Amino acid sequence: MWFYEKKLQYPVRVSKCDVRMAKFLIEQYGGADGELAAALRYLNQRYTVPEKVIGVLNDIGTEELAHLEMIATMVYKLTKDATPEELEKAGLGAHYANHDKALFYHNAAGAPWTATYIQAKGDPIADLYEDIAAEEKARATYQWLINMTDDPDLMDSLNFLREREIVHSQRFREAVEILKEERDRKKVF
């Protein structure tokens, strides 16, 4: 089913401890438009789409798991040397009280991840439009995260993730066109 190579899809480096930035990055870990929601959305929707586009959902859903791993690595590296006082000052005091420095699926505001973040309508074209919107929202979030850091190493990884969201959106748009063409094809019985 999957082949797992024990390295990140793209190298993750950070120049310094930055708990404030880690708090914001958690949005892409457990937020509505984050990597977990995307992976689960696509890997679930693949069961009700025509065979012609299953591979797109499977491939992108799997890649989103790799992105989740990258975000987790970024958050870990940004917080590993932080003191409890620094975590509290950055707005992660409640997180520390509940989880220490362990990652937990919640958004930047601390709201836990919920299955209501993902959709599966059962109509392949509707689902793919949902997926395009999800990718565009993730792209926008990555841009805003890039705007909030001055760490060139972190920016590099975030730029990679932003660009992958653009590619995913394009692939979903292609899948929509394949399905529309199939739907509109004249049927002869």
Side-chain angles (χ1 to χ4, degrees):
M1 187 157 111
W2 286 306
F3 175 75
Y4 180 67
E5 203 173 319
K6 293 186 178 189
K7 67 177 189 174
L8 295 175
Q9 182 184 14
Y10 188 84
V12 169
R13 294 178 305 278
V14 300
S15 301
K16 61 187 176 196
C17 176
D18 187 348
V19 182
R20 178 193 66 87
M21 197 62 203
K23 180 185 187 322
F24 299 139
L25 279 170
I26 287 174
E27 184 66 31
Q28 289 304 89
Y29 194 69
D33 304 316
E35 303 297 349
L36 176 65
L40 294 177
R41 176 186 297 113
Y42 310 149
L43 292 173
N44 183 58
Q45 289 174 352
R46 70 186 170 163
Y47 292 102
T48 55
V49 297
E51 203 167 305
K52 287 184 173 190
V53 297
I54 288 173
V56 173
L57 288 160
N58 194 59
D59 292 351
I60 295 174
T62 302
E63 186 175 343
E64 299 293 3
L65 292 172
H67 296 173
L68 185 67
E69 187 177 31
M70 288 176 66
I71 293 295
T73 301
M74 288 178 209
V75 172
Y76 169 76
K77 287 182 173 190
L78 290 167
T79 60
K80 70 180 177 131
D81 296 324
T83 65
E85 293 77 23
E86 290 171 321
L87 291 165
E88 186 175 8
K89 184 179 176 188
L92 288 171
H95 177 95
Y96 180 75
N98 284 312
H99 311 288
D100 189 41
K101 292 182 187 175
L103 283 152
F104 185 77
Y105 295 110
H106 61 76
N107 66 13
W113 187 89
T114 172
T116 59
Y117 288 164
I118 61 176
Q119 290 294 321
K121 189 68 175 170
D123 178 280
I125 293 175
D127 284 345
L128 286 166
Y129 277 121
E130 167 81 20
D131 301 343
I132 292 165
E135 293 296 324
E136 293 299 334
K137 290 186 277 185
R139 176 202 45 80
T141 301
Y142 278 121
Q143 184 59 57
W144 299 327
L145 290 167
I146 291 164
N147 295 346
M148 290 192 291
T149 186
D150 61 357
D151 182 335
D153 289 331
L154 185 58
M155 277 189 235
D156 180 55
S157 297
L158 293 172
N159 274 311
F160 170 81
L161 291 169
R162 184 193 62 204
E163 293 305 310
R164 293 307 300 160
E165 303 300 345
I166 293 168
V167 170
H168 295 169
S169 178
Q170 290 169 338
R171 293 215 37 224
F172 285 137
R173 290 172 199 275
E174 292 164 3
V176 165
E177 292 309 312
I178 290 167
L179 295 182
K180 282 176 155 180
E181 187 178 294
E182 183 73 23
R183 178 194 66 192
D184 298 339
R185 182 174 295 147
K186 193 173 196 176
K187 311 252 187 314
V188 178
F189 296 97

